[in-house]
């Protein structure tokens, strides 16, 4: 089925070699990004010339300058990337006009049914898809591993002309030329110079990478087609999840003026471009959130109501059920079953073998057998266990773990079924009580609507925000578990070539993946649709509309839960404002808007110097000492990480609903705190479109408490505008006494 005429247009801004991120994160760098703030020249070429002049000042020759410079940034902001020694980088940092010199770093990947689950469907006459005409004229930029342009998701039949405001290019390269861009993929670029400067030329003959925008790993194709892919009927992964596929613990974080993502996104937001980023996959541990700047839209991952039950038949005629993505050929064949700890290699620790850590299994004892492994603190991943079992010659894996609905990790070349610890213990008991235990996997089934969702995914990174604790992160949750979308055949063919136990159809053009990287494009697509409906809204207004209308309940009216150890009721540190509800965001009633000047005052309050902030802002900025600036940033949330005594927080709302409106405040109070709203009634008319209100917080307990959560609602009888309240009480002398 051809995509509808109004489907969202996609721009690809590609970062090549992201698939190697896990290998490169430990490498020392000799590439630096020289950031010079807002562009000072109207002509981009003049900006580029100024970059060469700075390097010439350091190197003393134009030839050395040409060899050093890799990229010149001259459109969104001013700066360049260059190969420098540490002493040269330090020298350039002192040049007038240079804001920061930042070492180049590699970014990790945060790695269908979901759109229907969100009710983003043309059958809803007044829904977001119909009201936005499927996003006519919207442009979504994706920074990822590339794109597979032949995917059916990127066909442009029936689409209109490329938006006239588009000024980008379609950069050619290995197996990618101008013809691969169309009215869906309107532009593509790839970046390799930073990698080559670090590690030398890369050999692409093995098919692991292309020197072009072409995607070898599949991740970029998956996220792009999720955000803006066309309608593809009967899409599935090896026959599973069949349906309509369409678009729609980390290291300490750098300060906002030293983080390239925060800097680049600030310039984009200042120009009215929404920036949506994934929250990271280091959950369920607290303070693991990344992309935490207040102008970024940070997305957590949630589940959908699709399950993949897989029956496991034991030799004692008993059957247990786990989850997997098994479509194997030998569905009637039983295999010998062993426990990893019982087949440990000579030099391996038995506990490590029990969780199938790398190199711990005896190949002779594992050969041709299914292996039972248990998740441990040092071995959390079924993917790593799969690799261990496959290296030892095993035929399949049963992986016992904390309960999770994510089965994407079981989709490798080795048959794998994931179970919880209770079922794992039952199977272990069967192994111990049986002379020759045997097992077989039955084909996986796809079930819809029989699994409570949404829930926050186990892996989804959690708040609070470690850089600016008064800024609630994540902002929102969206589907990011077991997402079916387009895939790169290059990667699937490579995986098939190394598989020795299970045949996979070649090529795989759709794949099920999980991660906050899968949640991010859902919000990106929704933001693009909202921008069509409300073209004058700022990025902050669009974010406010989605957060204040987000849901706190699953499809059965129960409170959303968060996977973890143990599972718990979800709170704002898990999902921010809640789970996205796209159709409600069309008419939020009130919005919490933020201007660039507000973000500048926020940066001043973070203690950054005047020159750095002036360069970012593109104007002379003198910071003044103001109290409570961070907590008073006009976010659609209020987070007080240290409530010692009475505190007053201000917010301003803009009426975007009926001209004559009356809103009444209602508070769901956080435990241990009193909350009062002044005024408690807001009256809007033709002349009053914005109103400020204050929220007074007072601790009720003289103890060093934990975070407690509540909500502030503004209601007019039709709209319910909700923001989360997050408060922790502390004592002035608590640290001194301890």
């Amino acid at each position: 089925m051809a995509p509808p005429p109004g489907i969202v247009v996609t721009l690809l801004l590609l970062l090549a070699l992201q698939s190697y991120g896990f290998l490169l994160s430990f490498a020392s760098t000799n590439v630096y990004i020289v950031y010079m703030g807002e562009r000072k020249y109207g002509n981009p070429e003049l900006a580029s010339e100024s970059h060469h002049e700075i390097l010439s000042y350091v190197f003393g020759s134009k030839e050395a300058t040409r060899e050093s410079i890799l990229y010149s940034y001259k459109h969104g902001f001013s700066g360049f990337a260059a190969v420098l020694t540490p002493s040269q980088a330090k020298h350039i940092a002192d040049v007038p006009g240079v804001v920061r010199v930042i070492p180049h770093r590699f970014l990790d990947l945060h790695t269908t049914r979901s759109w229907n689950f969100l009710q983003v469907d043309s059958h809803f006459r007044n829904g977001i898809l119909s009201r936005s005409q499927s996003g006519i004229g919207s442009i979504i930029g994706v920074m990822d591993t590339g794109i597979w342009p032949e995917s059916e998701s990127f066909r442009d039949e029936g689409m209109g002309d490329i938006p006239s405001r588009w000024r980008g290019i379609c950069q050619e390269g290995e197996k990618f030329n101008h013809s691969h861009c169309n009215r869906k993929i309107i532009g593509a670029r790839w970046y390799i110079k930073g990698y080559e400067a670090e590690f030398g030329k890369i050999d692409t003959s093995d098919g692991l990478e292309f020197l072009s925008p072409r995607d070898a790993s599949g991740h970029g194709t998956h996220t792009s087609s999720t955000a803006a892919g066309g309608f593809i009927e009967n899409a599935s992964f090896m026959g599973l999840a069949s349906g309509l596929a369409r678009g729609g613990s980390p290291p300490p974080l750098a300060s906002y003026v030293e983080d390239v993502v925060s800097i680049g996104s600030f310039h984009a937001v200042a120009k009215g471009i929404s920036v949506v980023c994934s929250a990271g996959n280091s959950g369920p541990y607290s303070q693991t959130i990344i992309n935490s700047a207040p102008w970024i839209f940070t997305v957590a991952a949630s589940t959908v109501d699709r399950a993949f039950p897989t029956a496991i038949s034991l030799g004692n005629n008993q059957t247990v059920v786990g989850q997997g993505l098994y479509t194997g050929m030998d569905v009637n064949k039983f295999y010998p079953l062993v426990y990893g700890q019982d087949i440990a290699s000579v030099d391996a620790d038995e506990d490590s073998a029990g969780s199938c850590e790398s190199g711990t299994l005896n190949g002779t004892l594992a050969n041709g057998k299914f292996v039972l492994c248990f998740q441990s603190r040092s071995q959390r991943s079924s993917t790593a266990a799969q690799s261990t079992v496959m290296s030892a010659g095993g035929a399949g894996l049963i992986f016992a773990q904390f309960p999770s609905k994510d089965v994407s990790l079981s989709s490798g070349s080795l048959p794998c079924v994931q179970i919880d610890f209770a079922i794992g213990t039952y199977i272990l008991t069967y192994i111990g009580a049986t002379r020759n235990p045997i097992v077989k996997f039955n084909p996986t089934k796809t079930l819809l609507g029989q699994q409570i969702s949404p829930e926050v995914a186990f892996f989804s990174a959690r708040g609070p925000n470690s850089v600016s604790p008064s800024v609630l992160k994540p902002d929102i949750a969206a589907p990011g578990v077991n997402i079916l979308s387009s895939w790169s055949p290059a990667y699937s063919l490579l995986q098939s070539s190394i598989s020795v136990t299970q045949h996979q159809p070649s090529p795989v053009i759709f794949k099920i993946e999980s991660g906050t990287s899968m949640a991010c494009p859902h919000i990106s697509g929704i933001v693009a649709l909202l921008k069509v409906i409300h073209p004058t809204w700022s990025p902050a207004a669009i974010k406010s509309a989605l957060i204040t209308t987000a849901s706190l309940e699953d499809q059965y009216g129960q409170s959303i839960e968060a996977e973890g150890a143990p599972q718990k009721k979800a709170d704002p540190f898990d999902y921010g404002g809640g789970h996205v509800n796209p159709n409600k965001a069309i008419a939020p009633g009130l919005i919490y808007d933020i201007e660039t000047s507000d973000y500048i005052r926020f940066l001043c309050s973070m203690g950054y110097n005047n020159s750095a902030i002036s360069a970012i802002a593109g104007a002379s900025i003198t910071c003044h000492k103001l109290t409570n600036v961070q907590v008073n940033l006009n976010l659609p949330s209020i987070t007080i990480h240290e409530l010692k005594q009475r505190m007053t927080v201000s917010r301003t709302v803009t009426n975007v609903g009926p001209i004559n409106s009356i809103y009444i405040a209602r508070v769901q109070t956080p435990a241990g705190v009193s909350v009062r709203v002044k005024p408690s009634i807001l009256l809007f008319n033709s002349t009053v479109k914005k109103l400020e209100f204050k929220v007074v917080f007072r601790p009720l307990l003289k103890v060093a408490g934990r975070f407690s959560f509540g909500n502030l609602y503004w209601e007019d009888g039709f709209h319910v505008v909700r923001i989360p309240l997050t408060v922790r009480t502390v004592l002035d002398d608590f640290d001194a006494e301890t």
Side-chain angles (χ1 to χ4, degrees):
M1 175 181 175
I7 199 69
V8 179
V9 178
T10 305
L11 153 68
L12 272 293
L13 293 176
L14 310 176
L15 297 180
L17 294 158
Q18 287 285 357
S19 54
Y20 293 95
F22 66 97
L23 295 175
L24 306 180
S25 57
F26 302 104
S28 60
T29 181
N30 62 342
V31 176
Y32 293 82
I33 297 172
V34 179
Y35 172 60
M36 302 178 66
E38 188 71 21
R39 194 181 75 191
K40 297 180 177 63
Y41 303 97
N43 185 344
E45 296 309 316
L46 293 177
S48 183
E49 289 178 10
S50 70
H51 303 157
H52 281 79
E53 288 176 4
I54 291 175
L55 281 175
S56 296
Y57 168 72
V58 173
F59 286 102
S61 76
K62 292 184 178 180
E63 182 179 352
T65 295
R66 285 194 298 269
E67 292 178 355
S68 170
I69 196 164
L70 302 177
Y71 294 105
S72 183
Y73 308 123
K74 53 195 177 184
H75 296 289
F77 55 88
S78 178
F80 57 91
V83 179
L84 303 169
T85 65
S87 60
Q88 289 170 338
K90 186 176 181 181
H91 190 36
I92 287 180
D94 294 330
V95 173
V98 173
V99 181
R100 284 284 188 279
V101 178
I102 306 168
H104 177 232
R105 66 187 179 96
F106 294 92
L107 304 178
D108 293 328
L109 301 176
H110 298 152
T111 193
T112 98
R113 171 68 181 169
S114 55
W115 287 112
N116 289 337
F117 182 69
L118 294 175
Q119 296 186 338
V120 178
D121 195 305
S122 59
H123 292 105
F124 289 85
R125 190 170 63 178
N126 292 316
I128 191 170
L129 201 62
S130 300
R131 289 279 302 276
S132 68
Q133 296 181 290
S134 298
I136 287 178
S138 293
I139 299 175
I140 300 177
V142 181
M143 299 180 66
D144 216 304
T145 63
I147 195 166
W148 194 264
E150 292 84 2
S151 169
E152 292 186 63
S153 294
F154 307 121
R155 294 181 304 179
D156 66 352
E157 288 94 333
M159 295 192 65
D161 293 336
I162 294 174
S164 58
R165 65 186 186 280
W166 171 243
R167 296 291 183 271
I169 67 170
C170 185
Q171 185 179 7
E172 294 189 324
E174 185 179 1
K175 297 184 179 180
F176 195 98
N177 56 49
H178 281 101
S179 67
H180 289 117
C181 290
N182 55 21
R183 290 172 296 175
K184 169 68 73 172
I185 306 171
I186 63 173
R189 300 200 66 162
W190 58 286
Y191 302 89
I192 189 66
K193 294 178 182 178
Y195 175 88
E196 290 181 338
E198 298 272 11
F199 302 100
K201 299 289 185 180
I202 183 172
D203 180 9
T204 62
S205 61
D206 55 7
L208 289 175
E209 191 55 80
F210 298 102
L211 298 181
S212 74
R214 183 170 291 278
D215 185 15
S217 79
H219 190 278
T221 301
H222 196 284
T223 56
S224 301
S225 59
T226 300
F231 293 171
I232 308 297
E233 288 186 330
N234 300 317
S236 71
F237 172 65
M238 297 193 296
L240 299 175
S242 180
L244 182 70
R246 55 186 171 114
S249 71
L253 300 182
S255 68
Y256 295 143
V257 297
E258 295 174 332
D259 176 58
V260 291
V261 175
S262 298
I263 292 171
S265 59
F266 178 90
H267 287 281
V269 169
K271 292 175 171 61
I273 301 170
S274 294
V275 178
V276 186
C277 294
S278 53
N281 291 348
S282 298
Y285 309 111
S286 64
Q287 290 189 309
T288 53
I289 199 80
I290 63 172
N291 297 319
S292 62
W295 48 85
I296 292 176
F297 205 163
T298 310
V299 188
S302 62
T303 64
V304 296
D305 62 345
R306 179 172 57 196
F308 300 96
T310 307
I312 303 172
S313 298
L314 304 175
N316 60 0
N317 293 322
Q318 297 298 306
T319 299
V320 295
V321 179
Q323 286 212 100
L325 298 171
Y326 180 65
T327 59
M329 298 179 295
D330 301 324
V331 294
N332 295 316
K333 181 179 178 180
F334 278 87
Y335 290 84
L337 175 63
V338 293
Y339 174 37
Q341 192 175 91
D342 295 336
I343 58 169
S345 58
V346 175
D347 57 347
D349 175 76
E350 288 188 352
D351 289 338
S352 297
S355 58
C356 295
E357 294 187 27
S358 178
T360 59
L361 302 183
N362 183 308
T364 302
L365 299 177
N367 188 51
K369 298 181 177 68
F370 277 31
V371 183
L372 171 67
C373 309
F374 282 78
Q375 186 183 56
S376 65
R377 287 188 178 183
S378 58
Q379 169 66 302
R380 294 178 57 193
S381 170
S382 62
T383 300
Q386 279 181 290
S387 178
T388 300
V389 172
M390 188 163 64
S391 297
L397 169 67
I398 301 174
F399 192 73
Q401 61 177 21
F402 288 111
S404 172
K405 295 179 173 63
D406 175 17
V407 297
S408 66
L409 297 180
S410 68
S411 63
S413 55
L414 186 80
C416 173
V417 176
Q418 298 167 200
I419 55 176
D420 63 25
F421 286 124
I423 296 176
T425 302
Y426 173 79
I427 295 177
L428 181 60
T429 302
Y430 161 70
I431 293 174
T434 307
R435 182 183 298 273
N436 296 305
I438 56 175
V439 66
K440 74 169 183 176
F441 291 169
N442 297 284
T444 296
K445 298 180 180 179
T446 302
L447 292 182
L448 301 177
Q450 298 184 33
Q451 176 171 270
I452 293 179
S453 285
E455 292 180 350
V456 178
F458 187 96
F459 57 77
S460 189
R462 309 299 211 263
N465 187 337
S466 62
V467 181
S468 47
S470 295
V471 176
L472 178 64
K473 292 289 177 175
D475 290 303
I476 205 165
V481 176
N482 305 331
I483 304 302
L484 176 70
S485 206
S486 294
W487 196 248
S488 168
Y491 183 80
S492 61
L493 287 171
L494 175 66
Q495 292 299 103
S496 295
S497 69
I498 64 175
S499 172
V500 296
T501 60
Q502 182 181 1
H503 170 74
Q504 287 189 356
S506 300
V508 173
I509 59 175
F510 293 96
K511 197 168 186 291
I512 292 171
E513 284 286 291
S514 296
T516 52
S517 285
M518 282 68 243
C520 177
H522 282 92
I523 295 298
S524 300
I526 293 165
V527 166
L529 297 175
L530 279 177
K531 187 66 174 177
V532 173
I533 298 172
H534 301 290
T536 62
W537 281 10
S538 69
I542 290 175
K543 181 161 72 168
S544 171
L546 287 165
I547 290 174
T548 59
T549 58
S551 175
L552 302 182
E553 297 179 342
D554 60 35
Q555 75 268 45
Y556 297 104
Q558 302 181 60
S559 295
I560 293 174
E561 295 202 344
E563 293 181 342
Q567 186 151 321
K568 68 178 183 67
K569 179 181 176 181
D571 61 52
F573 290 150
D574 301 312
Y575 56 25
H579 193 265
V580 65
N581 190 333
N583 294 320
K584 279 195 173 181
I586 297 171
L590 304 175
I591 57 172
Y592 294 76
D593 208 355
I594 303 177
E595 297 181 356
T596 303
S597 58
D598 299 319
Y599 291 130
I600 291 172
R601 281 191 291 271
F602 170 85
L603 290 172
C604 286
S605 73
M606 296 284 290
Y608 306 136
N609 61 55
N610 291 339
S611 60
I613 297 175
S614 296
I616 292 174
S620 178
I621 301 295
T622 301
C623 292
H624 303 283
K625 288 188 177 181
L626 301 172
T627 59
N628 296 332
V629 172
Q630 294 182 41
V631 77
N632 285 324
L633 183 64
N634 202 43
L635 296 166
S637 61
I638 297 176
T639 302
I640 304 175
H641 69 287
E642 291 184 349
L643 181 64
K644 300 178 180 180
Q645 55 193 1
R646 186 177 183 271
M647 177 182 285
T648 300
V649 178
S650 65
R651 288 291 186 270
T652 299
V653 287
T654 302
N655 181 27
V656 293
I659 293 175
N660 297 306
S661 298
I662 301 174
Y663 282 86
I664 300 175
R666 177 169 63 91
V667 178
Q668 183 183 11
T669 307
V673 179
S674 74
V675 180
R676 183 183 175 191
V677 182
K678 300 189 300 184
S680 60
I681 299 177
L682 300 178
L683 302 175
F684 297 94
N685 54 44
S686 59
T687 59
V688 180
K689 299 183 181 300
K690 288 187 178 183
L691 286 172
E692 182 185 49
F693 64 90
K694 298 185 182 299
V695 186
V696 182
F697 295 85
R698 184 171 60 86
L700 299 178
L701 304 173
K702 294 295 184 180
V703 295
R706 56 179 177 266
F707 279 104
S708 57
F709 309 98
N711 292 285
L712 167 60
Y713 301 84
W714 287 105
E715 300 167 324
D716 67 348
F718 178 74
H719 300 95
V720 178
V721 186
R722 180 188 56 81
I723 64 171
L725 307 177
T726 305
V727 184
R728 183 181 67 168
T729 58
V730 298
L731 298 178
D732 284 322
D733 56 354
F734 181 75
D735 291 335
E737 292 181 357
T738 56

